[in-house]
Amino acid sequence: MRIAAADVIVTSPSRNFVTLKITTDDGVVGWGDGTLNGRELAVSAYLAEHVVPLLIGRDAHAIEDTWQFLYRSAYWRRGPVTMAAIAAVDMALWDIKAKVAGLPLYQLLGGASRVGLHTYGHASGRDLPELFDSVRATLAEGHRSVRIQTAIPGVKAVYGVAAQAQASGERYDYEPAGRGPLPTEEDWDTGAYLRHLPTVFEAVRNEFGAELPLLHDGHHRMTPLQASRLGRSLEPYDLFWLEDCTPAENPQALEVVRRNTITPLAIGEVFNTVWDFQHLISNQLIDYVRAASTHFGGVSPLRKVMDFAAQYQIKSGFHGPTDVSPIGFAAQVHVGLSIHNFGIQEYMLHSDRTNRVFDQGMTFVDGYLHPSDRPGLGVDFDEQVAAEFPYQRAYLPFNRLPDGTMHDW
Ligand code: KDG
Ligand code: MG
């Protein structure tokens, strides 16, 4: 079975998505996700110019060899654009292989290891009443664990806090990337954050009790010492994890954090390869792997990093924002269902408009995600509906400190 055609489709139903369609010579179609938030056209050009011509005529079943070929033959390895492009190919080929087998992908990965995936949803608020309402709405959606993000006194805009109030029952639809010609500038004050956040977790614990698993995303903004202080000050509130507490480039930073706090640590949503996790996993500096199939080269390397992590009792916590398309999301739900060391799955609902383009078979019942038993990844892509929503330039925001210094967002 040979690859006869490969097409790149960029669509923007309520945000931009890069989708790869691979068609075999006997007419089987596989779908892959190569979305890179704010840099979508770089991936689509990489695919169209440098990958698609190499795919035509290749054996559609040779997934590992195609992955290694795309990775090694470029000479220039790694990086988010390259790895998102390789991810799209890897996913589309797994989709094809599973469709040909007539099985959902998780069956090819070893079968289900659980009934479904335990998720966490997002809650945020500008003040405590708004945050509590948001926690209630998140629980009402079916999540059993909740990520807590809060406004910080004196800071005008903070990552993870939806701009508008979220009354109960209202669909959480936070998307930080703004459509428009230029990115928006936000501000930051680490001191205010370190003082304020523990008070918020204390209030949430008092309101919702000891048992609700709570998470928090530090979004790469702290130094090792600041992150240590935060981890330690949150210990009384028993977090499920503290995510991305220090910038991802420096794995040694987590040695400092680890020495100073027993708050569990998660990192890796901006990592691209297994090697980015090598030091962190082999030195047991983290508890959860935050990679996303779409930004990590696809299903094949996600499975490999989790097998490596399993030797150290480190679990999955795959990145699941809406900028991972329903295709990329389904791919990692299949991985999560099949591996033994699954931890938790971040789950942000895609918009109704996105779901018109991507027909998702996935179900979320009694707090458990299941990718469905449709053959393949379980997601169909409607090219006609996609064509109604052309690409729109969008950028993630950035941060400056009050004196104008650039800071991690
Ligand atoms: O595109 C950026 C988002 O994917 C990121 O900000 C979301 O940190 C994130 C998370 O944990 O979901
Ligand atoms: Mg994050």
Side-chain angles (χ1 to χ4, degrees):
M1 190 176 59
R2 300 273 151 195
I3 297 174
D7 303 284
V8 187
I9 302 153
V10 182
T11 181
S12 193
S14 38
R15 47 157 310 105
N16 293 314
F17 294 109
V18 178
T19 304
L20 180 69
K21 174 186 183 186
I22 294 184
T23 310
T24 68
D25 51 7
D26 43 10
V28 184
V29 169
W31 300 103
D33 176 29
T35 306
L36 186 61
N37 204 3
R39 295 292 185 273
E40 297 86 359
L41 296 190
V43 184
S44 99
Y46 189 103
L47 279 167
E49 297 296 326
H50 305 297
V51 173
V52 165
L54 308 179
L55 293 177
I56 309 304
R58 290 186 72 82
D59 178 1
H61 275 307
I63 301 177
E64 181 66 17
D65 183 63
T66 298
W67 195 98
Q68 299 294 344
F69 170 67
L70 294 175
Y71 185 78
R72 293 171 195 280
S73 70
Y75 185 68
W76 308 108
R77 300 178 182 193
R78 311 167 67 181
V81 175
T82 299
M83 298 313 290
I86 295 177
V89 176
D90 183 83
M91 279 177 216
L93 294 181
W94 276 111
D95 194 21
I96 288 170
K97 192 185 279 295
K99 281 174 178 163
V100 170
L103 293 170
L105 174 60
Y106 72 84
Q107 294 291 12
L108 273 56
L109 301 176
S113 290
R114 56 195 52 78
V115 293
L117 306 191
H118 184 115
T119 65
Y120 74 89
H122 291 190
S124 72
R126 288 169 294 187
D127 52 25
L128 288 177
E130 194 174 285
L131 177 61
F132 291 174
D133 281 350
S134 178
V135 172
R136 288 189 192 98
T138 305
L139 294 172
E141 270 178 5
H143 300 284
R144 297 179 188 186
S145 303
V146 182
R147 187 185 86 160
I148 301 293
Q149 303 297 128
T150 172
I152 310 297
V155 178
K156 288 191 284 297
V158 183
Y159 160 74
V161 181
Q164 71 279 42
Q166 289 159 33
S168 302
E170 201 177 295
R171 165 75 75 87
Y172 178 91
D173 209 3
Y174 172 69
E175 169 48 58
R179 295 180 180 199
L182 292 171
T184 36
E185 182 175 321
E186 298 187 347
D187 54 341
W188 184 243
D189 179 345
T190 307
Y193 169 69
L194 295 179
R195 285 188 296 276
H196 185 63
L197 194 66
T199 69
V200 170
F201 271 89
E202 182 182 19
V204 172
R205 273 283 170 241
N206 288 340
E207 181 72 13
F208 293 97
E211 284 173 19
L212 179 64
L214 298 175
L215 303 86
H216 178 71
D217 189 349
H219 228 242
H220 312 284
R221 292 191 216 98
M222 285 167 276
T223 66
L225 214 58
Q226 290 165 344
S228 302
R229 180 179 148 196
L230 183 67
R232 201 179 274 187
S233 63
L234 293 175
E235 280 172 16
Y237 314 114
D238 187 23
L239 264 62
F240 186 95
W241 79 35
L242 172 61
E243 173 188 344
D244 289 344
C245 58
T246 51
E249 297 93 324
N250 180 14
Q252 275 79 15
L254 289 175
E255 290 173 12
V256 178
V257 184
R258 200 59 150 178
R259 270 201 299 277
N260 286 307
T261 179
I262 55 164
T263 292
L265 301 174
I267 201 163
E269 67 182 42
V270 301
F271 289 2
N272 310 132
T273 69
V274 176
W275 293 278
D276 295 332
F277 281 105
Q278 190 177 42
H279 183 78
L280 296 174
I281 290 177
S282 58
N283 290 285
Q284 307 195 76
L285 300 178
I286 56 170
D287 303 281
Y288 296 93
V289 166
R290 283 287 286 151
S293 59
T294 305
H295 305 129
F296 201 70
V299 168
S300 305
L302 205 56
R303 180 72 208 217
K304 289 176 191 174
V305 76
M306 290 319 302
D307 286 344
F308 175 37
Q311 298 173 46
Y312 300 88
Q313 295 170 286
I314 295 170
K315 296 186 173 182
S316 69
F318 300 147
H319 191 208
T322 48
D323 44 285
V324 169
S325 92
I327 295 167
F329 192 74
Q332 60 196 26
V333 171
H334 283 278
V335 175
L337 192 65
S338 61
I339 56 177
H340 175 247
N341 54 334
F342 168 77
I344 199 166
Q345 177 59 58
E346 180 183 28
Y347 180 34
M348 285 176 77
L349 277 67
H350 285 104
S351 72
D352 295 338
R353 213 187 251 196
T354 295
N355 289 330
R356 281 185 58 216
V357 177
F358 299 86
D359 170 30
Q360 305 195 49
M362 190 177 70
T363 54
F364 185 45
V365 179
D366 295 334
Y368 289 111
L369 267 181
H370 192 281
S372 90
D373 281 322
R374 289 183 185 174
L377 291 171
V379 182
D380 282 323
F381 184 88
D382 190 322
E383 292 175 81
Q384 274 181 346
V385 180
E388 290 173 26
F389 306 114
Y391 168 78
Q392 291 187 21
R393 177 164 294 134
Y395 286 106
L396 287 166
F398 66 96
N399 268 347
R400 282 193 194 277
L401 301 179
D403 70 355
T405 307
M406 279 291 299
H407 193 73
D408 298 303
W409 171 68

